[in-house]
Amino acid sequence: MRLREGVAIDLGTVNTLVCVTGRGTVVDEASAIALDRASGRVAAVGHAADALAGKEPQNIEVIHPLRDGVIADLDAAAAMLQAFLRKAQLHRGRLRPSAMVCVPSGATWVERRSLEAVVGAIRPRCEVRLIDEPVAAAAGAGFDLADGSGAFIVDIGGGTTQAAVMAGGQLVRAQSLRLGGNAMDEAIMNTVRAELGLLIGRNAARNLKTTLGLAGGEGTPGWVEAVGVDAARRTPRVERVQGKLVAGALEHTVAAMITTVEEMLSDIPPNLAEDVVRGKIRLAGGGALLPGLASRIESATGIPVVVVDDPLRCVIRGAAAVIERGDGLVPTQVA
């Protein structure tokens, strides 16, 4: 029986998740906050704020306070997280609560300190620990972090792609690529504008990405309708976007991800090779759902690749498991 409340926080570029011990995931919202320009007050947070992005409402500024997996706007991030923690309804007991905050493995010391500062400012008595996202993802994917066996995790988020090889709960090799789902969306938007003369928003680009993916996969349609603004006439227009066009737009980002995975494999310790091959390469994060990505990585590496169960919640699930266990097996970093 736990004597104090624990909270796991995955403060991501696209989505923020909060999990409370004993209650599960209590917050799953877009990482966005809308501010009233006149008063400076919070007008909306989460999905409600993100729904206003790109629509240019008068007197409202929509801010996405994280970029490439780390905080870009400290004040906005603090206000957004404060609203999310209020929604989580954390209890105020006599013992200090414990907070486990997920952080990209490639984050700098300053970026780690900013995460700790945001949580510490909102919950002053809170014991804040940081856990590298690949370690949390491995725990969330079901790897036993206590027995010393090896694991290969690729966590593809909105702002970063992180590839890591672990032995137990220890990072052996890790690379963080500051490209992810957002870079894919932007590539699709730019390609559709250049090739079709159509201006589309991020939501339309995401729909093309998740529906068409890398094209050619079983069950993948050949085209999808997209609604945008004609670049020349500046009027709304509907266009059929072909799968090959989207696949071409995604190629640069996907190739960079595959190169990162191949570099990791070329430097893997021999004693870990069997564990990795038998345990397979596990894909986590929202980018893991990109149609055709798993098969591309498997074809390039010759190692089986699988998408973990519920990849969007894999990291928060693992961080929560570490808090629940509380055995110190996973090396967390105190900022």
Side-chain angles (χ1 to χ4, degrees):
M1 180 178 179
R2 294 186 61 89
L3 298 177
R4 62 176 177 175
E5 189 171 51
V7 56
I9 302 171
D10 182 9
L11 197 60
T13 304
V14 175
N15 292 302
T16 293
L17 295 93
V18 178
C19 183
V20 178
T21 53
R23 291 197 281 145
T25 301
V26 295
V27 173
D28 185 351
E29 294 275 0
S31 297
I33 183 169
L35 302 177
D36 185 297
R37 289 192 178 97
S39 65
R41 294 180 179 178
V42 176
V45 294
H47 296 315
D50 192 53
L52 299 174
K55 297 178 181 178
E56 302 180 5
Q58 293 184 359
N59 301 322
I60 296 293
E61 179 183 10
V62 179
I63 301 172
H64 294 86
L66 286 99
R67 186 176 302 116
D68 298 336
V70 295
I71 294 174
D73 188 322
L74 196 62
D75 292 337
M80 180 186 73
L81 186 56
Q82 187 172 40
F84 290 158
L85 292 181
R86 278 199 302 267
K87 181 178 178 180
Q89 297 180 340
L90 299 180
H91 302 128
R92 293 188 177 274
R94 288 179 295 177
L95 297 178
R96 293 177 66 193
S98 175
M100 184 77 73
V101 185
C102 304
V103 59
S105 59
T108 65
W109 180 85
V110 173
E111 290 166 341
R112 292 171 184 266
R113 285 289 299 173
S114 68
L115 277 170
E116 190 268 351
V118 165
V119 178
I122 296 170
R123 305 281 292 183
R125 296 176 59 251
C126 190
E127 178 191 357
V128 181
R129 294 186 295 165
L130 305 183
I131 180 171
D132 286 310
E133 288 176 1
V135 177
F143 284 108
D144 186 349
L145 301 184
D147 69 356
S149 61
F152 196 124
I153 287 283
V154 183
D155 179 29
I156 307 165
T160 61
T161 295
Q162 300 171 79
V165 179
M166 282 162 287
Q170 303 284 343
L171 283 175
V172 177
R173 302 280 191 276
Q175 284 194 36
S176 185
L177 182 68
R178 297 209 171 186
L179 287 173
N182 284 355
M184 296 182 192
D185 298 339
E186 290 171 6
I188 292 172
M189 293 164 65
N190 292 336
T191 299
V192 170
R193 177 174 184 171
E195 298 295 326
L196 303 177
L198 185 69
L199 307 177
I200 60 172
R202 190 172 295 276
N203 288 341
R206 285 175 180 166
N207 180 56
L208 292 171
K209 175 182 68 179
T210 57
T211 305
L212 297 172
L214 301 181
E218 183 178 351
T220 302
W223 54 268
V224 168
E225 279 191 350
V227 180
V229 174
D230 189 288
R233 299 181 179 181
R234 309 300 297 185
T235 56
R237 174 160 66 91
V238 179
E239 182 71 55
R240 287 186 176 184
V241 181
Q242 300 295 320
K244 291 183 179 179
L245 185 71
V246 172
L250 296 174
E251 185 57 33
H252 171 74
T253 303
V254 170
M257 293 177 180
I258 292 174
T259 297
T260 298
V261 171
E262 290 177 325
E263 289 176 352
M264 292 286 297
L265 289 171
S266 69
D267 192 34
I268 193 171
N271 286 343
L272 274 177
E274 182 177 358
D275 289 347
V276 169
V277 173
R278 296 190 183 281
K280 304 176 183 179
I281 296 174
R282 309 291 179 98
L283 302 187
L289 297 172
L290 178 70
L293 180 60
S295 60
R296 275 287 301 275
I297 297 176
E298 184 169 319
S299 176
T301 62
I303 297 175
V305 178
V306 296
V307 178
V308 303
D309 292 336
D310 194 7
L312 289 165
R313 296 192 177 195
C314 184
V315 169
I316 194 71
R317 186 168 63 242
V322 172
I323 292 179
E324 288 280 3
R325 189 170 56 233
D327 53 19
L329 289 172
V330 177
T332 56
Q333 302 181 21
V334 179

